[in-house]
Amino acid sequence: MPANRSSNDSGLIFGFIIIAIGVLILLNKLGFFIPGWILSWPMILVAIGTFTLVKHGFRSFFGSIMLGLGLYFLFEREFGFDFGIERYIFPVALILLGLYFVTQRRKENKILSDIDSQINKSMKEAKDSMNSSLGGEKQSNPFTSAGSTFNDRLNIDAIFSGVDKRVMSKNFQGGKLTAAFGGIDIDFTQADFKGIATLQVDVIFGGMKLVVPPHWDVRTEVSNIAAGVEDKRIYRDSEVDPEKVLLLRGTVLFGGLEIKSF
């Protein structure tokens, strides 16, 4: 299954990065000459930024920021470069972060608006048809989009913010969730699917909680570094549906992932 293999590439990349860091530290302990800048703290930002960009096809705002900050501090503090822009970094970072939130919110609102229009249109047609068959009796609309998403695929980034969503799709196909210095709560109790749905979950200095139906078969293939992955579901083997497999893949770094069911 090509989609599953590509989503697992990020785990391989992260694994190789960890191996490389371990090898460098070991060589340094054995007396081999390792330049000090390679083991400096800005390289942590460079590694996180590079990993995030590669994983997202070099289209990650968070990865670009981490890589840029890492390179800036690396050149300035380790190599003595004086860019003369240190006092501008914080306000510029705030401006860029604000622009990102504005564009993301507009994109999300447009998607939700399109979905609402489609749902309202379908409901109106169904109500008109029902009214005709019942002699004009009016029916109430049981659907609401407040705090909910009807998308079949999720693509949510929570950076220095929190996202709380309820998935209503009956043909859920997986997607991608990224929480960096923020939190994501997703409620799947009203969702449904058949087969295997792969969900990429990446948590960096943040938290994520997934509430799933008790009959889903949730399989976790997540790499966690200085983090916690807690599966708080109550297992009932007799109730697990083998045709509903939610596969979680990704990385949890200095954060937490919690899986629950009711």
Side-chain angles (χ1 to χ4, degrees):
M1 301 173 65
N4 291 346
R5 289 178 182 174
S6 66
S7 63
N8 196 35
D9 288 344
S10 60
L12 293 176
I13 296 172
F14 189 77
F16 282 123
I17 291 177
I18 296 299
I19 292 173
I21 294 175
V23 170
L24 290 174
I25 295 176
L26 178 61
L27 291 176
N28 186 50
K29 296 294 184 181
L30 292 174
F32 289 89
F33 173 72
I34 303 296
W37 61 269
I38 293 182
L39 300 177
S40 63
W41 70 264
M43 284 299 296
I44 297 177
L45 300 181
V46 172
I48 293 175
T50 302
F51 167 72
T52 306
L53 285 173
V54 171
K55 181 170 63 66
H56 295 292
F58 296 92
R59 296 180 179 178
S60 171
F61 173 82
F62 175 75
S64 300
I65 292 295
M66 290 295 101
L67 180 60
L69 289 175
L71 291 176
Y72 171 81
F73 288 117
L74 180 66
F75 284 117
E76 183 184 53
R77 302 195 175 200
E78 301 296 332
F79 297 106
F81 285 82
D82 185 9
F83 296 98
I85 60 173
E86 185 171 353
R87 57 180 177 175
Y88 304 112
I89 289 181
F90 183 69
V92 170
L94 287 179
I95 293 173
L96 293 176
L97 189 61
L99 290 174
Y100 173 78
F101 285 139
V102 169
T103 55
Q104 285 295 105
R105 178 59 62 184
R106 287 181 176 178
K107 183 188 299 184
E108 181 179 351
N109 287 341
K110 185 179 185 303
I111 293 175
L112 290 176
S113 177
D114 293 341
I115 293 173
D116 286 342
S117 298
Q118 295 175 3
I119 293 174
N120 290 334
K121 181 179 179 181
S122 299
M123 288 300 302
K124 184 177 184 301
E125 293 176 353
K127 288 169 62 178
D128 291 342
S129 177
M130 185 174 293
N131 288 340
S132 298
S133 62
L134 296 178
E137 180 182 354
K138 294 184 179 180
Q139 305 292 325
S140 61
N141 189 340
F143 294 96
T144 176
S145 62
S148 303
T149 174
F150 292 85
N151 290 345
D152 292 337
R153 292 190 63 84
L154 294 179
N155 187 7
I156 298 177
D157 294 326
I159 303 176
F160 294 100
S161 63
V163 175
D164 190 349
K165 290 287 185 182
R166 172 174 293 177
V167 179
M168 308 295 291
S169 170
K170 302 305 179 182
N171 186 30
F172 182 64
Q173 299 175 10
K176 179 181 65 176
L177 303 176
T178 302
F181 301 94
I184 295 179
D185 287 355
I186 303 295
D187 184 353
F188 288 104
T189 55
Q190 302 300 316
D192 197 9
F193 71 100
K194 187 175 182 179
I196 299 177
T198 301
L199 188 62
Q200 181 78 24
V201 293
D202 296 298
V203 183
I204 304 175
F205 294 97
M208 187 178 298
K209 182 171 72 173
L210 307 178
V211 181
V212 301
H215 64 283
W216 283 15
D217 182 3
V218 182
R219 303 179 185 178
T220 306
E221 299 179 3
V222 177
S223 302
N224 58 308
I225 306 296
V229 178
E230 297 182 90
D231 191 340
K232 296 184 177 180
R233 294 175 297 150
I234 300 176
Y235 289 96
R236 302 183 181 92
D237 293 337
S238 60
E239 298 181 5
V240 174
D241 188 345
E243 295 187 355
K244 300 182 188 298
V245 179
L246 179 63
L247 182 58
L248 303 179
R249 287 177 169 168
T251 303
V252 182
L253 177 65
F254 296 104
L257 171 64
E258 180 181 346
I259 307 168
K260 300 180 65 175
S261 64
F262 298 106

